[in-house]
Amino acid sequence: MLSYCTAKALNLPSDFLLKNEIGEVQQGGGVIQGSASEAALIAMLAARNEAVKKLQSNCPGLKDHEAVGLLIAYGSDQAHSSLDKAARIAGVKFRKLPTDEEFALRGEALEAAIKEDTQAGLHPFYFLATLGTTSSCAFDKLPELGPICVKFGLWMHIDAAYAGSAFICPEYRPLLNGVEFAESFNFNAHKWFLTSFDCSCMWVKRRDSLISALNVDPVFLRNAASEAGVVVDYRNWQIPLGSRFRSLKLWFVMRLYGISGIQQFIRNHIELAKRFERFVQASDRFEIPVKPALGLVCFRLKGSNELNKEFMKAINDSGKVHLLGTQLRDQYVLRMAVASEQAKESDIDVTWKVISSIAEAIMNKRNS
């Protein structure tokens, strides 16, 4: 029921639901994982299992390790580092694809890579699309990428760890357009959905794909209810055998705040980020290297990367504001993310005052 309510709040396609609105059982379903990293890995394992079976059906006698050696997965050069780790664990090749000037992956880059690797004798099988990259909150172009995955038979998994919460707001739901082409979707309720760690919501269109890849069936786990199919064994949808009662805290959040309350919370953060953006734009000392998105603003002092690293260290050493930096191609930038539930305009004003005063002190020191 919680999977259904959360999916409906995000306006996910009905294919991702265990049951439709009149209670009929479907092929999809949702499960709460520990993290987006786990969700990406689980989707990759399911995709790998299907790809190996397909290769072996086309090439009888092909051994498992030989088939796995032919597989290659894709993600953008802005995808989270956990994708690299997932590929290592799954034992498959992984290729990072170049993004455009807005750090988003386009369809032509994916299609070119698929054709090149296929020509080289490899078997493309999995693509992770990022909605809201860690560094700059960029959005891969799902409407371009999805049809290509369908055309070439790739499993498309959507990682919307941070940005996915915003899809509860109708005005931001278009950022998810193209999700209908995906096989799986994930967002972290513990990032921006007012839920404590850990609570990472994942949906798949075909739950049997997870079960086929992850099912273990020792005698001591067998029971009449599972064998009759009257219960859902989530142990076959995840890496661990058991898990905590994560759904309870998410249920309390939705019961306490309601859809409108969560929407208000997210909209407030976005407005506060825009307020900070206006402060940055009004100063001739700073620059914004990439268009701000949702509750994240990337900015930097006009100058070298070394200057900006010194600047960020000084900010964090002040103990008044904490920022994280990132590398956007050849530029080191600072990231200001609105995070606190209690954040208000005065907090942004104080943050800007601290940042601008430290910037002035650093520049005066360098110019003296």
Side-chain angles (χ1 to χ4, degrees), residues 23-42:
E24 295 174 333
V25 177
Q26 302 188 129
Q27 295 183 19
V31 60
I32 299 179
Q33 308 288 357
S35 67
S37 304
E38 287 180 38
L41 171 60
I42 289 166

Side-chain angles (χ1 to χ4, degrees), residues 6-146:
T6 311
K8 295 300 286 185
L10 298 176
N11 197 19
L12 289 180
S14 60
D15 292 350
F16 287 101
L17 301 178
L18 182 67
K19 295 182 179 181
N20 61 23
E21 293 184 354
I22 60 175
E24 295 174 333
V25 177
Q26 302 188 129
Q27 295 183 19
V31 60
I32 299 179
Q33 308 288 357
S35 67
S37 304
E38 287 180 38
L41 171 60
I42 289 166
M44 184 178 288
L45 293 175
R48 184 189 71 174
N49 185 59
E50 292 189 345
V52 167
K53 289 181 178 179
K54 180 179 180 180
L55 284 170
Q56 290 175 332
S57 68
N58 294 332
C59 301
L62 187 69
K63 296 180 180 178
D64 286 356
H65 72 276
E66 293 173 332
V68 170
L70 297 174
L71 301 181
I72 184 166
Y74 303 102
S76 84
D77 57 16
Q78 299 298 309
H80 195 273
S81 58
S82 61
L83 182 56
D84 297 74
K85 184 180 288 188
R88 292 183 194 178
I89 295 172
V92 300
K93 297 176 180 64
F94 169 60
R95 181 174 174 181
K96 294 182 179 180
L97 304 180
T99 49
D100 65 12
E101 66 280 358
E102 296 179 346
F103 303 99
L105 186 64
R106 307 303 297 263
E108 59 185 17
L110 176 61
E111 184 166 9
I114 291 172
K115 290 180 177 178
E116 179 182 336
D117 290 330
T118 301
Q119 185 68 28
L122 297 176
H123 184 78
F125 80 107
Y126 175 92
F127 166 62
L128 182 141
T130 306
L131 297 183
T133 59
T134 302
S135 288
S136 64
C137 202
F139 289 78
D140 290 341
K141 305 300 184 181
L142 290 188
E144 298 178 14
L145 298 160

Side-chain angles (χ1 to χ4, degrees), residues 37-331:
S37 304
E38 287 180 38
L41 171 60
I42 289 166
M44 184 178 288
L45 293 175
R48 184 189 71 174
N49 185 59
E50 292 189 345
V52 167
K53 289 181 178 179
K54 180 179 180 180
L55 284 170
Q56 290 175 332
S57 68
N58 294 332
C59 301
L62 187 69
K63 296 180 180 178
D64 286 356
H65 72 276
E66 293 173 332
V68 170
L70 297 174
L71 301 181
I72 184 166
Y74 303 102
S76 84
D77 57 16
Q78 299 298 309
H80 195 273
S81 58
S82 61
L83 182 56
D84 297 74
K85 184 180 288 188
R88 292 183 194 178
I89 295 172
V92 300
K93 297 176 180 64
F94 169 60
R95 181 174 174 181
K96 294 182 179 180
L97 304 180
T99 49
D100 65 12
E101 66 280 358
E102 296 179 346
F103 303 99
L105 186 64
R106 307 303 297 263
E108 59 185 17
L110 176 61
E111 184 166 9
I114 291 172
K115 290 180 177 178
E116 179 182 336
D117 290 330
T118 301
Q119 185 68 28
L122 297 176
H123 184 78
F125 80 107
Y126 175 92
F127 166 62
L128 182 141
T130 306
L131 297 183
T133 59
T134 302
S135 288
S136 64
C137 202
F139 289 78
D140 290 341
K141 305 300 184 181
L142 290 188
E144 298 178 14
L145 298 160
I148 292 170
C149 289
V150 172
K151 176 181 177 181
F152 292 98
L154 275 69
W155 178 300
M156 184 168 77
H157 172 71
I158 296 176
D159 178 359
Y162 162 70
S165 298
F167 303 150
I168 196 174
C169 301
E171 64 268 33
Y172 299 112
R173 175 56 178 78
L175 293 171
L176 188 56
N177 288 350
V179 65
E180 62 272 14
F181 298 108
E183 288 291 337
S184 51
F185 168 84
N186 166 253
F187 89 101
N188 284 344
H190 59 246
K191 272 196 169 71
W192 208 19
F193 212 75
L194 292 162
T195 308
S196 60
F197 187 83
D198 55 0
C199 188
S200 188
C201 302
M202 178 184 185
W203 288 268
V204 293
K205 282 183 177 177
R206 297 176 291 113
R207 61 182 179 277
D208 286 348
S209 61
L210 296 189
I211 296 170
S212 177
L214 302 173
N215 182 40
V216 290
D217 192 31
V219 174
F220 56 79
L221 290 178
R222 296 174 188 168
N223 61 85
S226 295
E227 292 178 0
V230 296
V231 298
V232 178
D233 267 330
Y234 284 110
R235 63 183 170 86
N236 297 325
W237 297 41
Q238 59 191 20
I239 295 172
L241 180 63
S243 63
R244 293 173 296 283
F245 193 4
R246 298 184 180 108
S247 59
L248 183 62
K249 55 189 175 185
L250 182 55
W251 179 81
F252 270 116
V253 166
M254 297 189 73
R255 184 173 185 267
L256 176 63
Y257 291 90
I259 300 299
S260 61
I262 299 172
Q263 290 172 335
Q264 181 180 355
F265 161 74
I266 290 171
R267 287 167 177 152
N268 177 56
H269 275 192
I270 294 172
E271 287 304 312
L272 292 178
K274 290 179 179 178
R275 183 179 183 85
F276 182 83
E277 178 189 358
R278 289 193 291 270
F279 282 133
V280 177
Q281 289 175 329
S283 173
D284 58 5
R285 194 170 268 152
F286 296 91
E287 60 183 354
I288 296 177
V290 62
K291 183 179 178 180
L294 302 180
L296 177 69
V297 180
C298 293
F299 70 105
R300 68 195 306 272
L301 280 170
K302 294 177 180 177
S304 68
N305 287 341
E306 290 68 29
L307 171 64
N308 279 279
K309 290 177 181 179
E310 177 187 348
F311 178 40
M312 194 188 77
K313 184 177 184 303
I315 292 172
N316 290 340
D317 286 349
S318 74
K320 298 176 181 178
V321 175
H322 182 77
L323 299 179
L324 293 176
T326 192
Q327 192 79 22
L328 292 176
R329 299 205 172 98
D330 61 345
Q331 284 191 323

